[in-house]
């Protein structure tokens, strides 16, 4: 089975702090994604990466950056956390190359910014 | 651009009754469509997907969905609800490019009453 692991399930950070959310997948997938989930808005794509050191902006990249130094690891960075970034963050991965490839999700990281 | 619309943010069903969750899509090319389920405090799990083979797709846990091109719909059904079906359900469509991005609906929360 594909496993996508998000190292931190629950975090509480202060406004202005730099926050790192880490994600690791064990299936050699080329694609990795960071989504944000908010009630009534579904999942919104923040960034995705289709290869090591490659990244593309999603629908809501403002206030976020990402890092992919190794194929299996994709990090989301909040340079200066703000209260409107309180949310559930979901990491995901998939094989590259076909539109119908399934996206596999981690269990999510709940971030509260106070 | 691809998009999906889920009708109804909350659905309440009695145990043993039919579960029907509605999803309509918009796509400029033949779509690849997915249903995911999210149990409380967990990530998303694939229920089923349509990738242009059979129009009636069977998934896990007794769920199925029918692709209807004429109605641009991909509704999810289960003949008899179980208490364990209480969760949030997301419809998604794969983007037109090969990068593997999805557009998700806003989600439907299912409550199952005894």
């Amino acid at each position: 089975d594909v496993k996508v692991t998000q190292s931190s399930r629950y975090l509480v950070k202060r406004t202005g702090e730099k926050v790192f959310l880490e994600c690791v997948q064990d299936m050699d997938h080329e694609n990795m994604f960071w989504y944000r989930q908010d009630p009534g808005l579904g999942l919104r794509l923040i960034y995705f990466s289709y290869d090591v050191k490659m990244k593309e902006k999603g629908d809501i990249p403002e206030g976020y950056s990402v890092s992919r130094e190794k194929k299996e690891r994709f990090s989301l960075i909040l340079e200066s956390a703000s209260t409107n970034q309180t949310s559930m963050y979901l990491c995901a991965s998939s094989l590259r190359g076909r539109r119908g490839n399934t996206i596999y999700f981690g269990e999510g990281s709940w971030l509260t910014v106070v | 651009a691809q998009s999906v619309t889920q009708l109804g943010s909350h659905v309440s069903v009695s145990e043993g009754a039919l579960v029907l969750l509605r999803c309509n899509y918009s796509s400029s090319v033949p779509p690849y469509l997915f249903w995911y389920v999210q149990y409380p405090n967990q990530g998303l799990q694939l229920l089923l997907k349509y990738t242009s083979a059979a129009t009636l797709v069977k998934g896990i846990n007794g769920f199925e969905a029918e692709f209807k091109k004429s109605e641009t719909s991909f509704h999810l059904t289960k003949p008899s609800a179980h208490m364990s079906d209480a969760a949030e359900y997301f419809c998604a469509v794969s983007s037109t490019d090969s990068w593997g991005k999805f557009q998700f609906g806003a989600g439907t929360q299912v409550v199952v009453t005894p």
Side-chain angles (χ1 to χ4, degrees):
Chain A
D1 279 354
V2 175
K3 189 149 182 72
V4 179
T5 303
Q6 296 181 232
S7 55
S8 302
R9 292 296 314 277
Y10 302 95
L11 306 94
V12 179
K13 298 293 182 180
R14 295 193 180 278
T15 300
E17 273 193 80
K18 191 169 186 176
V19 181
F20 293 87
L21 300 180
E22 306 287 347
C23 175
V24 176
Q25 51 94 4
D26 67 357
M27 283 302 292
D28 204 35
H29 285 169
E30 295 88 356
N31 293 340
M32 294 191 75
F33 308 85
W34 275 106
Y35 285 90
R36 172 175 171 163
Q37 181 180 4
D38 298 288
L41 297 177
L43 277 71
R44 294 178 292 169
L45 182 63
I46 304 172
Y47 268 97
F48 75 101
S49 169
Y50 53 90
D51 205 343
V52 175
K53 297 191 186 296
M54 307 303 290
K55 61 186 179 183
E56 293 287 338
K57 294 180 179 179
D59 300 320
I60 53 164
E62 296 78 20
Y64 303 94
S65 62
V66 290
S67 172
R68 193 162 180 205
E69 297 297 319
K70 294 184 177 182
K71 189 175 185 179
E72 68 271 18
R73 188 178 298 271
F74 192 37
S75 302
L76 180 70
I77 304 158
L78 287 67
E79 295 289 343
S80 177
S82 65
T83 55
N84 63 12
Q85 293 179 309
T86 292
S87 188
M88 163 83 129
Y89 291 89
L90 288 161
C91 176
S93 72
S94 72
L95 287 169
R96 192 175 69 204
R98 281 202 321 123
R99 288 176 56 217
N101 285 336
T102 299
I103 289 183
Y104 297 89
F105 285 87
E107 298 223 319
S109 297
W110 284 99
L111 172 66
T112 301
V113 183
V114 297
Chain B
Q2 320 297 94
S3 68
V4 291
T5 302
Q6 291 184 239
L7 301 176
S9 59
H10 287 80
V11 168
S12 182
V13 298
S14 300
E15 192 174 17
L18 171 73
V19 180
L20 170 61
L21 304 182
R22 301 178 187 274
C23 174
N24 288 90
Y25 70 89
S26 171
S27 177
S28 57
V29 298
Y32 291 100
L33 295 159
F34 301 75
W35 276 101
Y36 281 83
V37 61
Q38 184 180 35
Y39 299 105
N41 298 320
Q42 294 187 24
L44 276 70
Q45 176 183 354
L46 180 69
L47 267 180
L48 50 82
K49 67 179 183 180
Y50 168 76
T51 56
S52 76
T55 56
L56 183 63
V57 182
K58 294 189 183 298
I60 62 171
N61 301 338
F63 284 93
E64 63 182 35
E66 186 171 10
F67 174 72
K68 291 188 177 181
K69 184 178 179 180
S70 61
E71 298 177 9
T72 62
S73 68
F74 190 56
H75 301 332
L76 181 72
T77 60
K78 181 174 180 178
S80 177
H82 191 272
M83 298 298 289
S84 61
D85 295 325
E88 189 157 22
Y89 293 79
F90 293 91
C91 183
V93 61
S94 180
S95 64
T96 54
D97 58 44
S98 62
W99 297 120
K101 292 183 292 182
F102 284 16
Q103 289 293 326
F104 285 87
T108 299
Q109 185 72 46
V110 172
V111 174
V112 182
T113 56

